[in-house]
Amino acid sequence: MDRRVDDNTNPSLPELDELESVVVRFAGDSGDGMQLTGAQFTASTALAGHDLSTFPDFPAEIRAPAGTTFGVSAFQINFGSDRVLTAGDEPDVLVAMNPAALKVNIDNLRQGGLVVVDTGSFSARNQKKAGYESNPLEDDSLSGYRVMRLDITAYTLEAVKQFGLSNKDALRCKNMWTLGLMLWMFGRQRKPITEWLKTKFGKMPEVAKSNIAALNAGHAFGETAELSSDLKRYEIRPAHLEPGTYRTVTGSQSLAWGLVAGAQCAGLKLMFGSYPITPASTLLHLLAAMKQFGIVTFQAEDEISAICAAIGASFAGSLGVTSSSGPGIALKTEAMGLAISTELPLIIVNSQRGGPSTGLPTKTEQSDLYQAIYGRNGDSPLPVIGTRSPGDCFETAIEAVRIATKYMTPVILLSDGYTANAAEPWKLPDLESLEKFPTQIVETPPEEGEHFNPYERDPETLSRPWAKPGTPGLEHRIGGLEKSYETGHISYDADNHQKMTDTRMAKIAGIAADIPPQEVFQGTEGGEMAVVGWGSTFGPIDQAVHRARDKGLDVSHIHLRHLNPFPSNLEGLLKSYKKVLVPEMNTGQLMTVLRDRFLLEAVPLNKVEGQPFKIREIEGAIANVLNGKGAAS
Amino acid sequence: MNEITTAGKLTAKDFTSDQEVRWCPGCGDYAILKCMQRTLPEIGARPENTVFVSGIGCSSRFPYHMATYGFHTIHGRAPAIATGVKLANPDLDVWVITGDGDGLSIGGNHLLHVLRRNVDLNILLFNNEIYGLTKGQYSPTSRPGTRSPSTPQGSFENPVSACAFALGAGAKFVARTIDTDQKHMPDVFKRAHRNKGASFVEIFQNCIVYNDGVFSDFADKANAAETRVYAVHGEPLLFGSENKKGLRLNADKLRLEVVTLGEDGVGEKDIIVHDETNPILAQLLVSLTAPAYPVVLGVIYAAPSESFEAAAMKQIDASIKKHGIGDLDAVIRQGRTWTVT
């Protein structure tokens, strides 16, 4: 067995333990259990009191051919003592379980970073499959990195030999061996993971024992004397988080719980209609497992049926919610128009992914903003709000429910693949203190001889009354045809259509007065430059602005939750800066909308590589724009 | 929009809205509407608990004329919207009004799945074998050779049989009636209403403007006896002016044939007795088409099973029984948490 460990560290680079945070990336074949390893490492990291952020990065294929580059699955975690808002630019440590994982990920590793490779998987065949002409472990292609060549395959087989598993099952424990090594490297506890393994494999004690043995063996390996000079135990100071009780939460979890909390605040039953699509399906899975809340989940035959069932549920007095990703949202478009025309509350969650068409199902992008704001036939306005991080999904979902029910309107909630899958520490909210907004469902029939008019609007909100089937005296008919402003009956009258169109626009525009004024997240009101973002670019923008301000630059960070309508003070606020930089994971959609609404000269910074922004990309753009150049120069 | 309904015995008037009916004079839809307004009081329906959901097309204007709750939705999607209504409130009486274009073309997928799931809806498909609202194009049930604005030389597609489609989708209740038979239609509506699950009813409906007389083979009262078989559970499938004709199974060819009592030694024992729980018989009956065969009307298949929303509610109840009513605070605190001081 090859126990040689090389150290090619460039001495001028900082040691890992001097960094504010450490980024570890686990990469392997999709069948190697990398997501599981990453999730367990995340849990142990949170338990150690570190701030963290994760980024699962997996292939679209369920089981791509083993050993190929397109079958590589990875999980990245950034944890540290300072506030951690992104999953990190460049990994400091890369764990590569096979040649393909090395090939795909090595270019991202920080120069001087540590790469741990399983030499047992570096057969000539696997190297060829990954596209290597010669063995990268033997030529100089890894100079510039610290390389740990470990025969993880052999160590794992040795560690689990006594339990008599088949070779295939024994090899499945490789991920736990690796996790054990990483736990040792970063001073993490093994106990929560061994407990978890015992529960997970409760019915298969041999499998549980094998996994625990592999975990312990990996951990023990790290402790062996002959490696200690090369593998430091990195101690990281716990993060300075606000006092409170915390847990890690993924965007999907926090969104699911936010929807449940929102429905409770509104006093409504939740009905969730959805059709499986990556990366949005997790929300369906989570809500389907919460039936004790009275939640009805419906896996529809298609995206159209999913939204239509949600609309039907809202018509019948529940809170209808549907969820999808870009292409699925496109299919729901006609039904959104119906919800706008019939003025029924509805939440549409879009976990955005790379587009157009099927695009990049498992990669993140925020290129559906136009679709959300403009993408329907007719003049069909609806509120659009965006969530900035996994934990933020909770509040955003509640806000979506508040607007939808108060204004009797569909609301689009924009999330993305990154936010849905990523995890971060989340301070548990005090649910008792959440502001209730009970829905005013009409139950009183009109006076004798009077008719119930389903379009008799509240003069302040312009919202129409919600009467649900089952209520005597409030029988009414609605539909997608234009309605008379006065009676709610079908009307083809030209003046009436003008008035109804104007009213629908005014109702949505009026929401601007009912949302919080836009705040400056970091920096000052007015100044040289504002960096304006929305959605999951929050983390890298915040870090980049933080670094720029540390250097003394006059830069502020503004992050939008409300994308349509905008907060009423936004125009004045943005015009108080000399320059506005808009980083987006699209080709400039928010920038166009800002120009459209405010005739604002904004500078775009765009990236559509299926990956989140790196901090230094935004940092560089800030410097460029301040120097009078384009963002990307 | 409508008068308040007072408790007590209701009449057709209590189910009739004040909205002007805008179908073409002579349209078969009028007969169906009248029949529905008359039948609902008879089955003890309440306007406040009744919902009509429709898609797009001539037939889909139906809800506006009923003094109940109504939702005129978008093309083909009524089954999906009605599914949501039932999931939100399983106690409602929900009727879906659709047509051959709405239900079998643009909305074919939803119809398939709503039948398969057995959602407790009464689905009335008005089949006039033509697109009326868009001015006369051929539809998925039009016979080959149908001349229409989009098929000036005649259509060359194979039509779909609505009832065969429903049976293939796994419908547990399939019935058929015709707009000209005001005696038969209410009985079919009543049976459909009584069935807890998806009740599929095909109504042959004449479009007087674009497809007049398309069902004349069996629609005319004059030759009704010779061209229709009324299927009644437990009774022999006899027809004809003297009830002397009947349907016999030719076992060698596995098909139905028309025979006459007293001819070639045919006796009543040779005639098939209708068994509405027999899915194979149902397939054979819906396959008979005019003019070679009489058309079978009535409840062709009825084999009730648990409805979709009842099963969904059962799972919710079971979860509450097992875990207690959901406590969000407990859920978010599950698993590993830590405290920062």
Side-chain angles (χ1 to χ4, degrees):
Chain A
M1 275 188 283
D2 176 14
R3 289 202 172 205
R4 190 162 48 99
V5 174
D6 289 4
D7 191 341
N8 302 318
T9 314
N10 177 339
S12 66
L13 289 162
E15 291 288 322
L16 285 178
D17 51 352
E18 290 170 15
L19 298 172
E20 285 184 330
S21 65
V22 171
V23 178
V24 180
R25 188 170 176 92
F26 297 91
D29 229 6
S30 8
D32 278 343
M34 287 300 102
Q35 301 303 325
L36 204 65
T37 312
Q40 287 308 308
F41 191 73
T42 304
S44 74
T45 298
L47 213 60
H50 297 284
D51 201 353
L52 64 92
S53 177
T54 66
F55 175 43
D57 186 8
F58 45 85
E61 290 76 16
I62 302 298
R63 286 281 183 275
T68 58
T69 51
F70 53 90
V72 171
S73 174
F75 191 99
Q76 186 162 316
I77 178 168
N78 182 4
F79 58 98
S81 50
D82 202 352
R83 57 179 171 171
V84 174
L85 295 167
T86 78
D89 285 358
E90 301 171 328
D92 300 289
V93 179
L94 170 66
V95 179
M97 299 302 284
N98 68 5
L102 182 70
K103 177 101 178 177
V104 170
N105 291 290
I106 191 67
D107 288 344
N108 261 328
L109 187 66
R110 177 177 62 80
Q111 279 297 306
L114 174 70
V115 54
V116 180
V117 293
D118 176 15
T119 55
S121 68
F122 272 70
S123 63
R125 189 157 168 268
N126 279 348
Q127 289 176 40
K128 202 176 155 211
K129 269 198 220 167
Y132 278 118
E133 306 258 334
S134 64
N135 189 343
L137 302 180
E138 284 167 12
D139 58 29
D140 62 355
S141 60
L142 296 179
S143 61
Y145 305 104
R146 308 201 307 173
V147 184
M148 274 183 69
R149 300 173 167 109
L150 304 173
D151 194 342
I152 295 172
T153 302
Y155 295 152
T156 305
L157 291 177
E158 181 71 24
V160 305
K161 195 169 64 180
Q162 53 177 311
F163 300 104
L165 297 184
S166 70
N167 193 55
K168 190 178 156 205
D169 284 343
L171 285 173
R172 284 203 172 140
C173 300
K174 280 201 305 187
N175 61 342
M176 284 300 134
W177 193 96
T178 316
L179 180 59
L181 180 68
M182 288 297 124
L183 292 178
W184 170 79
M185 198 184 249
F186 296 101
R188 301 283 173 272
Q189 297 294 316
R190 269 169 294 163
K191 194 158 176 278
I193 291 157
T194 52
E195 292 302 325
W196 173 78
L197 285 168
K198 280 180 199 160
T199 315
K200 182 175 171 68
F201 297 113
K203 290 188 181 146
M204 296 178 280
E206 293 312 299
V207 176
K209 280 182 204 161
S210 304
N211 274 289
I212 292 167
L215 183 86
N216 288 338
H219 195 268
F221 187 89
E223 281 186 337
T224 55
E226 53 186 305
L227 284 173
S228 59
S229 59
D230 298 293
L231 272 175
K232 256 187 185 164
R233 288 185 64 133
Y234 300 99
E235 293 294 341
I236 294 157
R237 283 169 294 124
H240 299 290
L241 295 167
E242 241 183 276
T245 305
Y246 284 78
R247 62 167 296 148
T248 47
V249 75
T250 66
S252 297
Q253 279 176 320
S254 140
L255 187 52
W257 298 339
L259 289 169
V260 174
Q264 289 180 349
C265 288
L268 295 172
K269 278 204 313 184
L270 183 64
M271 191 279 177
F272 185 80
S274 185
Y275 182 77
I277 184 171
T278 302
S281 307
T282 323
L283 196 54
L284 171 62
H285 306 166
L286 290 167
L287 289 168
M290 292 178 78
K291 292 205 167 66
Q292 70 271 30
F293 287 83
I295 297 166
V296 182
T297 56
F298 173 53
Q299 182 179 313
E301 62 271 22
D302 61 25
E303 298 284 0
I304 298 170
S305 172
I307 185 172
C308 284
I311 291 172
S314 286
F315 175 67
S318 285
L319 174 67
V321 180
T322 188
S323 155
S324 188
S325 189
I329 297 292
L331 284 166
K332 295 180 194 291
T333 304
E334 187 199 12
M336 277 185 226
L338 179 68
I340 290 169
S341 176
T342 52
E343 304 191 34
L344 283 168
L346 176 73
I347 313 284
I348 303 127
V349 180
N350 181 357
S351 298
Q352 299 165 93
R353 64 191 216 183
S357 187
T358 311
L360 303 168
T362 59
K363 305 295 178 192
T364 199
E365 208 165 279
Q366 46 182 186
S367 47
D368 296 345
L369 184 65
Y370 288 162
Q371 183 193 40
I373 298 181
Y374 303 118
R376 286 165 297 280
N377 65 305
D379 285 305
S380 45
L382 58 70
V384 179
I385 62 178
T387 179
R388 68 178 192 220
S389 70
D392 184 57
C393 288
F394 184 78
E395 266 185 47
T396 312
I398 295 174
E399 175 72 343
V401 179
R402 182 185 75 87
I403 294 174
T405 52
K406 183 169 178 182
Y407 292 90
M408 295 291 284
T409 178
V411 174
I412 291 182
L413 194 167
L414 292 174
S415 178
D416 60 32
Y418 176 79
T419 303
N421 291 317
E424 67 178 7
W426 180 54
K427 190 182 161 190
L428 296 181
D430 175 11
L431 298 176
E432 291 295 314
S433 69
L434 291 177
E435 199 185 324
K436 303 279 185 291
F437 41 83
T439 309
Q440 304 296 323
I441 290 186
V442 208
E443 280 173 350
T444 323
E447 297 289 312
E448 190 75 41
E450 297 282 313
H451 294 299
F452 170 64
N453 175 3
Y455 281 82
E456 189 172 351
R457 294 173 190 280
D458 177 292
E460 194 192 326
T461 60
L462 299 179
S463 182
R464 78 171 185 88
W466 191 5
K468 59 177 182 181
T471 317
L474 297 178
E475 294 85 356
H476 63 278
R477 276 69 56 193
I478 55 172
L481 288 170
E482 185 62 286
K483 270 90 30 193
S484 155
Y485 185 90
E486 305 297 336
T487 64
H489 294 316
I490 300 172
S491 168
Y492 297 135
D493 181 80
D495 291 343
N496 177 72
H497 179 55
Q498 178 79 52
K499 189 169 182 183
M500 285 295 275
T501 301
D502 293 347
T503 305
R504 284 187 288 261
M505 297 301 279
K507 180 175 90 167
I508 302 307
I511 296 170
D514 190 27
I515 56 179
Q518 184 60 46
E519 288 178 358
V520 179
F521 187 78
Q522 197 186 160
T524 56
E525 212 179 301
E528 283 297 317
M529 178 193 272
V531 184
V532 182
W534 66 282
S536 70
T537 53
F538 180 82
I541 295 178
D542 179 69
Q543 292 282 18
V545 170
H546 186 66
R547 288 184 189 175
R549 292 182 64 80
D550 273 355
K551 288 186 207 150
L553 300 176
D554 179 10
V555 182
S556 302
H557 176 197
I558 290 169
H559 216 77
L560 304 176
R561 169 181 285 174
H562 292 274
L563 299 159
N564 190 47
F566 287 129
S568 45
N569 68 330
L570 186 64
E571 179 170 11
L573 178 62
L574 293 183
K575 289 182 173 170
S576 70
Y577 301 94
K578 287 186 189 153
K579 282 172 175 147
V580 172
L581 173 68
V582 186
E584 286 182 273
M585 293 185 288
N586 59 41
T587 56
Q589 300 191 8
L590 176 66
M591 181 211 64
T592 314
V593 179
L594 289 173
R595 281 182 184 171
D596 162 28
R597 300 287 155 88
F598 305 142
L599 284 174
L600 184 83
E601 205 179 315
V603 183
L605 173 66
N606 305 119
K607 175 174 177 174
V608 280
E609 294 169 5
Q611 302 287 330
F613 273 111
K614 293 177 178 178
I615 298 164
R616 59 178 159 71
E617 289 171 338
I618 298 175
E619 218 182 339
I622 292 172
N624 287 337
V625 175
L626 281 175
N627 289 330
K629 293 187 258 178
S633 28
Chain B
M1 285 168 81
N2 53 273
E3 301 298 332
I4 300 162
T5 319
T6 48
K9 185 119 178 82
L10 302 176
T11 65
K13 200 164 158 269
D14 295 301
F15 288 92
T16 307
S17 82
D18 59 0
Q19 293 300 292
E20 186 195 344
V21 185
R22 300 185 190 193
W23 289 311
C24 308
C27 175
D29 289 357
Y30 283 97
I32 305 170
L33 177 65
K34 285 281 167 228
C35 176
M36 180 60 74
Q37 290 166 342
R38 227 176 52 224
T39 307
L40 287 180
E42 290 176 19
I43 55 181
R46 305 287 312 175
E48 68 269 23
N49 285 330
T50 306
V51 184
F52 280 86
V53 183
S54 64
I56 294 293
C58 292
S59 60
S60 289
R61 294 296 185 93
F62 198 94
Y64 290 114
H65 311 305
M66 299 297 300
T68 61
Y69 284 91
F71 202 162
H72 178 213
T73 70
I74 41 180
H75 209 6
R77 320 301 172 203
I81 289 190
T83 299
V85 171
K86 275 304 261 194
L87 285 172
N89 185 355
D91 296 333
L92 296 170
D93 248 353
V94 183
W95 297 78
V96 170
I97 307 295
T98 184
D100 41 315
D102 191 60
L104 293 169
S105 194
I106 194 166
N109 191 34
H110 307 305
L111 188 58
L112 162 73
H113 292 281
V114 83
L115 294 173
R116 166 180 79 77
R117 292 189 182 108
N118 202 32
V119 184
D120 183 20
L121 303 168
N122 309 309
I123 302 160
L124 308 185
L125 187 142
F126 297 16
N127 182 9
N128 57 12
E129 298 192 0
I130 207 80
Y131 282 93
L133 197 65
T134 50
K135 299 190 171 47
Q137 299 85 356
Y138 75 110
S139 92
T141 55
S142 295
R143 290 162 218 184
T146 300
R147 287 181 188 273
S148 80
S150 57
T151 49
Q153 294 162 281
S155 66
F156 45 85
E157 291 180 17
N158 288 317
V160 61
S161 154
C163 286
F165 170 85
L167 288 169
K172 300 290 180 187
F173 182 100
V174 176
R176 196 147 67 178
T177 186
I178 183 163
D179 58 359
T180 51
D181 193 338
Q182 285 284 332
K183 274 194 187 140
H184 186 248
M185 222 179 341
D187 291 342
V188 170
F189 290 177
K190 285 174 193 172
R191 280 292 310 272
H193 180 261
R194 212 188 311 152
N195 176 55
K196 294 295 165 214
S199 309
F200 179 79
V201 179
E202 179 187 18
I203 307 171
F204 294 118
Q205 174 251 321
N206 189 47
C207 173
I208 197 165
V209 174
Y210 296 109
N211 215 12
D212 193 23
V214 72
F215 302 121
S216 59
D217 283 336
F218 55 92
D220 295 342
K221 286 203 175 89
N223 56 8
E226 294 296 323
T227 55
R228 303 179 196 168
V229 177
Y230 286 96
V232 178
H233 184 61
E235 292 184 17
L237 292 159
L238 289 167
F239 67 106
S241 47
E242 292 167 2
N243 236 20
K244 284 275 164 73
K245 289 183 181 169
L247 296 175
R248 178 173 76 176
L249 178 70
N250 181 329
D252 293 340
K253 294 184 176 169
L254 203 62
R255 65 165 67 130
L256 297 177
E257 58 192 15
V258 175
V259 291
T260 308
L261 291 178
E263 280 179 16
D264 304 325
V266 172
E268 196 152 335
K269 64 173 173 35
D270 295 313
I271 308 301
I272 299 174
V273 172
H274 183 46
D275 174 4
E276 64 184 25
T277 67
N278 181 342
I280 306 298
L281 178 60
Q283 298 276 4
L284 292 170
L285 292 177
V286 302
S287 71
L288 303 181
T289 50
Y293 290 93
V295 163
V296 181
L297 303 177
V299 178
I300 293 167
Y301 184 59
S305 70
E306 184 179 45
S307 74
F308 178 71
E309 71 282 3
M313 295 308 136
K314 221 184 242 180
Q315 284 199 346
I316 290 177
D317 292 344
S319 291
I320 292 173
K321 207 168 169 194
K322 189 173 172 197
H323 305 287
I325 289 199
D327 175 357
L328 190 57
D329 199 51
V331 167
I332 65 176
R333 284 166 200 280
Q334 256 167 21
R336 297 160 181 167
T337 59
W338 71 96
T339 305
V340 174
T341 48

